[in-house]
Amino acid sequence: MSSEGERSETSDRAGSDATRENGGGGGERVSAGDGKFGRYGGQYVPEALMPAIEELTDAYERYVLNNEDGFVDEFRRRLRDFGGRPTPLQRADRLSERYDTEVYLKREDLLHGGAHKLNNALGQVLLAKYMGKERIIAETGAGQHGTATAMAAAHLGMPCEVYMGERDINRQRPNVFRMKINGSEVTPVTTGRGTLKEAISETMRDWATNVEDTHYVIGSVVGPHPFPQMVRDFQAVISEEAREQVIDQTGGLPDSVVACAGGGSNTMGAFHNFVGDDGVDLLAVEAGGSSLAVDEETGVAPNSASLSTGSEGVLHGARTKLLQDHDGQIVESHSVSSGLDYAGVGPELAHLVDEDRVTPVNVADDAAIEGFHRLSQEEGIIPALETAHAFGYLHEHHDEVGDVTIVNVSGRGDKDLDTAIEETAQRDIPNAPDMSMFEGGLR
Amino acid sequence: MTGHRSSEAIAAAFADGPAFVPYLAVGDPDYESSQAYVEALAAGGADVIELGLPFSEPIAEGPTIQNAVVRALEAGMTPTRFFEFVADLDVDVPLVCMTYYNLIYQYGDEQGPRPFVERAAEVGISGFVVPDLPAEEAGPLREACDEFGLDLVSIVAPTTGAERLKKLVDVSSGYLYVQARLGVTGASSSVSDQTGESLARLADVDLPKAVGFGISSGEQAATVVEAGADGVIVGSALVDIVAEGHANDEPTEAVADRLETKARELKQGALEGYGRRTPAPEGTSD
């Protein structure tokens, strides 16, 4: 195990891309920087959105980075009282025994709404309120971000519209219902395959139309600057707590942190405060789907592993690693988990992978479903199918995670029960319970 | 002027009276028909033609052009085919390639915009419009355009303030694409009030201003030119004709004829608007 406190010199720089400027008045003011993570990041959006992005950058600097008007204090208070933070860092006794490794679970599934998504949604909706915006829009894949945004908007009294791919609506009915009962409108997106990628494009179109009074709550560490950095800052509370908790419980730092990676918000949240700790391995588990190869004929990648297999390109406002064909057309991704089913990934993660600070790994659909059942059976925690990828990885590679590992339980699996039943029934999953009782319409 | 090496063809197109600038998605609904349609627009009086190279994620487009992009991609349009298409065209007006940055960035063996721009210059493209490339990110493409003497047309939005406008003008050449209203592309039944305000703000900019977004009739074209525009850009209203022809399985010639007729109406509208302008002394911002 790494010893406590041995942080590398890059810690502070890696910890924030923001820069400190001497304001001349004696106090230091933190600026948002240029939004570049090495060769990644940037602001590739229509001109109509640029003034809104400048306005957002200014608000991010003032309220989030410099705590103007006590924004950060209010955010922390609401995360505690409304959100239920801090979430526990729980030792997983049976997994620890099974793998002969100390496994600690960061329980973001216990956050209000059942996923880490609330950290960001609450931060952005509150920021929109500080900015005087009148309307919230968001996109959602698995529905967790949409649900978190709908909850935050209801909590703070803001009208909210959520765009969601038609296919995802059918995969995630419970979350659609949750958004609607929280008072949000859910608008189906029918273009393309009707998944997260199309929902993001559609939300950007709404934003371009209503930019003057509307804030777009992007759901992950993707999009134009300042979103990747700002969303990371809101999610960094995960690793901030986990770092303190693991030191408190074990006397030192972990050997590794494991988190599933789609767009990368729970990943960056879980990694951020460990980036400067060179002895801590950071493992980003992507959806390997059914295969890592791209089907050249159909142009479909039967995976969502953009860090492992993607190439550099520009999508949805940022330069990052993407699943694309030779010409630069974005290819369709696939994952059994709709929350990971996205052809891009956050630019900071892409950079940290290039710098060899984060190791991208991946897990196939089958292993993720096994992970889903295993965590449920052995620890009494039903994980989101996204999260299940991290446990699929742990199972296959427990020899490689060191003596102490933290796995980020990014969300709970209630929303995925229908999908889990269906997907389990289609496969030969060795640790699955007998599902035959579900035949005949029990679902 | 902005000091960039520019295409003389585009400057010439805006030199005498208002320019009619139509847009079509290339390859919609198929390669051959699309060629006939572009040629019909030229025959109908186009002064510059914007050729859309389809990208899978067209975030600045409304449903009309988005659907056209899907049809074109499904029919096999690629950047390589696009360049063949342009080389094969039999038209005598300057051509502007409108596409998204990722396609420009990925073309060729090395990443970066240079190979795409070089190839575009070879086949006779005169400039680019790239909706997801704001001034902040335009440096490398601007450099490549300067190397090959092509124009980079920037989009000015109703939300663009004075400070941003300076940045935009600094990287732009050819003309400015003045977005008539907020939102995405799409035909509309009335011309936005924002158009006049936008043109007034741009009065001192020494580049032709072509207004687009929502123009679908000769009368609207007249209104926009009367308000001071140097050109009108029309996309969705033309793409609608292509879509309708495709949906009804009409022969290519019939659709091409309707496009030519529509082009004449729009060009005529622009000329009428120009005629209705109150003559103002040189240099005023009226």
Side-chain angles (χ1 to χ4, degrees):
Chain A
M1 189 192 309
S2 313
S3 61
E4 180 190 348
E6 283 180 15
R7 290 170 73 103
S8 73
E9 281 185 9
T10 57
S11 171
D12 285 339
R13 184 187 54 77
S16 173
D17 298 280
T19 52
R20 293 195 176 275
E21 289 172 352
N22 193 327
E28 273 189 352
R29 189 178 161 80
V30 185
S31 100
D34 64 0
K36 297 281 165 72
F37 302 96
R39 49 196 294 121
Y40 303 105
Q43 296 174 312
Y44 296 86
V45 292
E47 168 59 25
L49 292 179
M50 283 303 293
I53 282 171
E54 287 178 342
E55 184 189 356
L56 180 64
T57 307
D58 179 60
Y60 166 58
E61 274 183 9
R62 286 168 54 197
Y63 300 121
V64 183
L65 296 180
N66 294 289
N67 195 23
E68 204 172 297
D69 298 342
F71 172 87
V72 175
D73 306 320
E74 182 174 352
F75 172 53
R76 296 264 169 173
R77 178 175 63 74
R78 288 183 188 274
L79 267 185
R80 186 189 68 216
D81 297 346
F82 177 67
R85 296 214 78 91
T87 61
L89 183 75
Q90 178 210 339
R91 183 177 184 277
D93 294 338
R94 296 188 63 199
L95 288 186
S96 296
E97 193 180 333
R98 171 190 270 272
Y99 298 137
D100 196 21
T101 293
E102 295 290 305
V103 178
Y104 285 84
L105 309 178
K106 181 58 177 165
R107 297 291 307 276
E108 290 302 290
D109 59 314
L110 292 179
L111 189 65
H112 178 50
H116 71 291
K117 294 288 186 185
L118 186 75
N119 300 319
N120 169 49
L122 187 63
Q124 285 200 51
V125 176
L126 187 63
L127 186 63
K129 225 177 154 69
Y130 273 60
M131 291 168 72
K133 296 290 176 186
E134 291 166 11
R135 175 175 175 257
I136 295 295
I137 54 173
E139 92 296 319
T140 196
Q144 281 301 127
H145 171 60
T147 299
T149 306
M151 285 173 167
H155 173 63
L156 291 163
M158 299 273 274
C160 175
E161 180 170 356
V162 182
Y163 289 89
M164 187 168 186
E166 206 169 39
R167 180 185 158 90
D168 287 340
I169 285 180
N170 290 324
R171 289 200 277 187
Q172 302 289 349
R173 282 175 300 174
N175 269 339
V176 175
F177 191 57
R178 289 208 290 173
M179 285 180 256
K180 289 174 87 78
I181 55 180
N182 277 296
S184 285
E185 245 180 89
V186 179
T187 305
V189 177
T190 55
T191 50
R193 254 176 89 241
T195 60
L196 181 59
K197 172 167 77 72
E198 290 80 17
I200 292 179
S201 294
E202 201 58 37
T203 318
M204 284 207 166
R205 293 187 183 102
D206 180 315
W207 201 26
T209 309
N210 302 295
V211 63
E212 286 165 318
D213 66 355
T214 297
H215 175 69
Y216 174 12
V217 180
I218 288 187
S220 193
V221 286
V222 300
H225 175 63
F227 282 104
Q229 197 174 313
M230 181 175 74
V231 175
R232 177 206 67 198
D233 288 351
F234 288 141
Q235 291 293 0
V237 64
I238 301 171
S239 51
E240 180 189 311
E241 288 174 6
R243 195 172 187 281
E244 279 174 26
Q245 289 165 325
V246 75
I247 290 170
D248 190 43
Q249 291 178 38
T250 70
L253 291 169
D255 296 294
S256 60
V257 180
V258 181
C260 63
S265 73
N266 97 84
T267 329
M268 278 315 305
F271 291 175
H272 182 64
N273 287 282
F274 294 106
V275 167
D277 299 315
D278 289 342
V280 180
D281 289 344
L282 304 175
L283 300 159
V285 187
E286 298 193 285
S290 56
S291 164
L292 281 188
V294 174
D295 183 330
E296 295 292 343
E297 204 166 298
T298 60
V300 172
N303 62 72
S304 303
S306 40
L307 286 172
S308 310
T309 68
S311 59
E312 184 185 328
V314 174
L315 177 67
H316 291 144
R319 180 184 305 220
T320 185
K321 285 183 190 281
L322 303 174
L323 299 177
Q324 58 187 331
D325 69 12
H326 177 74
D327 290 327
Q329 303 288 3
I330 308 306
V331 300
E332 302 293 351
S333 57
H334 165 80
S335 168
V336 68
S337 153
S338 28
L340 303 181
D341 197 347
Y342 180 56
V345 65
E348 185 173 12
L349 262 178
H351 173 62
L352 290 172
V353 166
D354 277 8
E355 298 278 291
D356 289 331
R357 183 64 196 95
V358 166
T359 308
V361 294
N362 56 77
V363 157
D365 286 345
D366 290 5
I369 292 174
E370 279 187 50
F372 174 87
H373 289 296
R374 193 171 298 108
L375 193 69
S376 305
Q377 288 160 9
E378 304 206 354
E379 296 292 341
I381 297 168
I382 302 172
L385 282 174
E386 292 85 347
T387 310
H389 284 73
F391 289 96
Y393 177 80
L394 182 67
H395 185 69
E396 290 178 352
H397 298 273
H398 54 87
D399 291 345
E400 300 161 32
V401 297
D403 296 332
V404 176
T405 187
I406 296 176
V407 183
N408 193 32
V409 184
S410 57
R412 70 177 189 223
D414 307 42
K415 69 183 174 70
D416 290 324
L417 293 182
D418 274 0
T419 310
I421 292 166
E422 263 171 44
E423 296 286 342
T424 302
Q426 289 168 21
R427 297 173 159 81
D428 184 19
I429 302 291
N431 63 344
D434 176 6
M435 308 294 274
S436 58
M437 70 180 73
F438 287 99
E439 285 167 15
L442 273 184
R443 214 168 57 225
Chain B
M1 288 306 286
T2 53
H4 294 294
R5 190 182 153 206
S6 294
S7 140
E8 287 168 16
I10 288 180
F14 281 90
D16 306 311
F20 165 50
V21 185
Y23 163 97
L24 282 182
V26 164
D28 170 30
D30 59 69
Y31 188 97
E32 286 75 20
S33 307
S34 188
Q35 285 226 318
Y37 299 160
V38 172
E39 286 165 11
L41 294 176
D47 298 290
V48 175
I49 300 178
E50 291 183 353
L51 298 175
L53 164 57
F55 176 52
S56 54
E57 314 301 318
I59 56 170
E61 316 295 355
T64 302
I65 292 176
Q66 207 185 338
N67 290 335
V69 164
V70 171
R71 284 192 298 269
L73 287 172
E74 282 176 354
M77 186 44 63
T78 65
T80 303
R81 290 283 281 161
F82 173 83
F83 289 130
E84 286 167 16
F85 180 100
V86 176
D88 285 352
L89 272 180
D90 184 18
V91 296
D92 194 22
V93 294
L95 303 169
V96 168
C97 169
M98 183 161 182
T99 195
Y100 288 78
Y101 193 56
N102 200 43
L103 298 189
I104 295 176
Y105 186 75
Q106 302 296 344
Y107 188 80
D109 293 334
E110 55 179 289
Q111 286 192 316
R114 192 180 178 280
F116 189 93
V117 176
E118 183 175 22
R119 181 73 185 126
E122 279 168 15
V123 297
I125 292 283
S126 297
F128 298 99
V129 184
V130 189
D132 64 343
L133 197 69
E136 283 77 357
E137 308 289 356
L141 180 58
R142 178 69 261 177
E143 206 175 295
C145 284
D146 279 342
E147 183 183 343
F148 294 100
L150 269 61
D151 284 314
L152 181 56
V153 174
S154 293
I155 299 177
V156 183
T159 44
T160 306
E163 212 169 300
R164 290 201 54 76
L165 185 59
K166 272 188 217 143
K167 281 191 209 174
L168 274 180
V169 170
D170 202 40
V171 299
S172 306
S173 64
Y175 56 98
L176 289 179
Y177 186 137
V178 182
Q179 188 179 327
R181 54 165 165 74
L182 277 176
V184 292
T185 57
S188 128
S189 57
S190 63
V191 174
S192 166
D193 295 340
Q194 286 168 332
T195 308
E197 291 167 32
S198 297
L199 288 168
R201 285 192 298 125
L202 298 171
D204 294 337
V205 177
D206 188 19
L207 277 171
K209 294 101 190 170
V211 173
F213 277 48
I215 298 169
S216 62
S217 69
E219 187 45 43
Q220 286 173 339
T223 307
V224 166
V225 171
E226 190 181 359
D230 302 301
V232 290
I233 303 171
V234 181
S236 294
L238 301 167
V239 173
D240 275 337
I241 293 174
V242 175
E244 202 185 307
H246 179 62
N248 297 330
D249 218 8
E250 288 179 61
T252 299
E253 300 74 38
V255 179
D257 279 351
R258 282 198 286 139
L259 281 169
E260 188 177 332
T261 306
K262 188 72 182 174
R264 284 190 201 290
E265 174 199 328
L266 291 159
K267 173 71 183 177
Q268 189 56 34
L271 288 169
E272 280 168 21
Y274 195 62
R276 294 208 296 251
R277 265 195 219 173
T278 315
E282 201 65 22
T284 64
S285 59
D286 184 331

